[in-house]
Amino acid sequence: MNIVLSKLDPLITKFGLDNTDQMEILKGPCSKIGVRPAHVVFIASSVALFSILFGIAARFLSTFISIIYPAYRSIQAIESAGENDDKQWLTYWILFSIITLADASIGFALEFIPFYHILKLALFVALFHPQVKGAEKLYDQFVHPLYLKHHEKIDKGFQKVQEKVKQQVNDKFQN
């Protein structure tokens, strides 16, 4: 079996999955069955992509993939001392939120685009892939300039809402 799986090694390296061998959650089970964690990740990813391609649980799988790996890497970023990887994951989650909000708003119309979930998943992979760092690039090019232009208005709006909520809570509990 390892001879067959070793044929996947060049693909695993090409897609940047070698670092998945370091995932503690996979090391134990994979060592018991005698395979590399990267092989399990590659095969699971291939099955998921195949399922998405043929519309089998496409929404669930694309959402699952766009959350699980980034969430794990975000935890690693929090736990790593001195490394400068926090920006990558913070910018990913900002863009993930923006895209998810847009998808919740107009996703019903986007569902008619052929292979929509594959395109959406490709976008998320480009955002979180460590070699592409698409999240940082999109943030620096689009979100940051918009933030600089509008943050004072947004801050004032949030402050007004916060004051109104605080007043409502105070009024409720004083009566």
Side-chain angles (χ1 to χ4, degrees), residues 35-96:
V35 298
R36 283 179 60 193
H39 290 142
V40 172
V41 170
F42 181 80
I43 291 168
S45 300
S46 299
V47 168
L49 189 59
F50 175 80
S51 297
I52 292 168
L53 184 62
F54 290 101
I56 305 166
R59 176 184 287 273
F60 170 77
L61 287 170
S62 65
T63 302
F64 182 80
I65 292 167
S66 64
I67 291 174
I68 293 299
Y69 178 75
Y72 179 75
R73 295 290 295 179
S74 296
I75 292 169
Q76 284 183 319
I78 290 168
E79 297 299 324
S80 66
E83 289 186 37
N84 193 14
D85 51 2
D86 294 356
K87 182 178 180 187
Q88 163 64 20
W89 298 109
L90 286 170
T91 54
Y92 174 81
W93 290 113
I94 290 167
L95 290 163
F96 177 87

Side-chain angles (χ1 to χ4, degrees), residues 137-155:
K137 292 173 185 171
L138 277 178
Y139 178 85
D140 290 341
Q141 209 163 26
F142 297 106
V143 177
H144 184 69
L146 280 171
Y147 170 77
L148 291 177
K149 185 176 181 180
H150 300 288
H151 79 91
E152 290 175 0
K153 294 176 198 169
I154 295 169
D155 290 346

Side-chain angles (χ1 to χ4, degrees), residues 22 24 27 30 36 83 86 93 122-123 126 128 157 159 162 168-170:
Q22 304 308 314
E24 291 298 324
K27 281 184 180 179
C30 289
R36 283 179 60 193
E83 289 186 37
D86 294 356
W93 290 113
L123 171 63
F128 72 60
Q159 188 175 10
Q162 186 178 13
Q168 291 289 326
V169 170
N170 287 339

Side-chain angles (χ1 to χ4, degrees), residues 5 8-9 11-13 16-23 26-27 30 35-46:
L5 291 176
L8 298 176
D9 289 341
L11 289 172
I12 288 169
T13 300
L17 296 173
D18 285 316
N19 64 342
T20 59
D21 284 331
Q22 304 308 314
M23 294 175 72
L26 294 177
K27 281 184 180 179
C30 289
V35 298
R36 283 179 60 193
H39 290 142
V40 172
V41 170
F42 181 80
I43 291 168
S45 300
S46 299

